[in-house]
Amino acid sequence: AEIGKRLTVVEASAEFLPMVADASFAGASILLALFDMGAPEQALDTAVRILQPGGTLVVTELKQGFQLDPILEACERHLRAIGRYDELAADLHRVVKSNRQLAPGSLSRFRAESIFESLTARGFDDLSLVDSHFGQCATVTGRKPGRTI
């Protein structure tokens, strides 16, 4: 019941959130979503707009040289290493098939490196870019310039 008093769920396009006021959040996170948007730069602009000065933005996104195979191969290696490959092979096959059909990164060429450059140009502080997902993605973290509200 307490969470319901502190949590608001908004179902809308991240590219355009007019119902969310400027500088209304102390933090924002985008997890592997921009690569599949038609206007990822606009979605990033929206995240920056709704972030308070001094607020933290965390974005995990595909890297420029993204390849799906290393991630899928690591999944199989992990299942074999923990002795559950035979049990979960059919599930893994569905995951591999659906990921290949979805072709991650097919819509946008906006990548983690581009996000880092964009936030650098906007004057974000404490910027970092850390590899994730077996080096195929990266997480960009930074603080929006200005005083903390």
Side-chain angles (χ1 to χ4, degrees):
E2 182 62 28
I3 289 178
K5 295 176 186 174
R6 298 180 299 165
L7 178 66
T8 300
V9 176
V10 176
E11 187 174 340
S13 169
E15 296 153 312
F16 186 65
L17 298 172
M19 74 295 283
V20 180
D22 293 358
S24 56
F25 290 96
S29 175
I30 303 171
L31 177 60
L32 295 170
L34 297 175
F35 76 86
D36 202 33
M37 292 183 186
E41 295 91 344
Q42 188 173 335
L44 184 63
D45 290 345
T46 297
V48 171
R49 177 185 65 77
I50 67 173
L51 192 62
Q52 297 170 355
T56 300
L57 179 61
V58 179
V59 182
T60 300
E61 202 56 57
L62 309 181
K63 288 176 58 179
Q64 293 292 347
F66 176 81
Q67 295 179 26
L68 181 60
D69 286 336
I71 297 171
L72 297 176
E73 290 164 1
C75 291
E76 180 175 340
R77 281 193 309 274
H78 178 71
L79 289 177
R80 290 184 186 282
I82 64 171
R84 297 191 66 194
Y85 178 80
D86 292 338
E87 171 191 352
L88 298 173
D91 294 326
L92 177 61
H93 176 72
R94 280 192 296 282
V95 167
V96 169
K97 182 179 178 183
S98 64
N99 273 274
R100 292 199 192 290
Q101 288 173 341
L102 293 172
S106 60
L107 287 184
S108 168
R109 300 307 308 132
F110 199 52
R111 299 292 193 243
E113 297 89 345
S114 307
I115 294 160
F116 186 88
E117 291 171 11
S118 176
L119 296 180
T120 298
R122 297 168 195 243
F124 267 64
D125 299 315
D126 302 326
L127 273 170
S128 67
L129 186 144
V130 178
D131 279 354
S132 66
H133 297 78
F134 306 99
Q136 301 307 306
C137 301
T139 299
V140 179
T141 304
R143 271 187 314 105
K144 185 175 179 177
R147 257 190 27 232
T148 303
I149 293 176

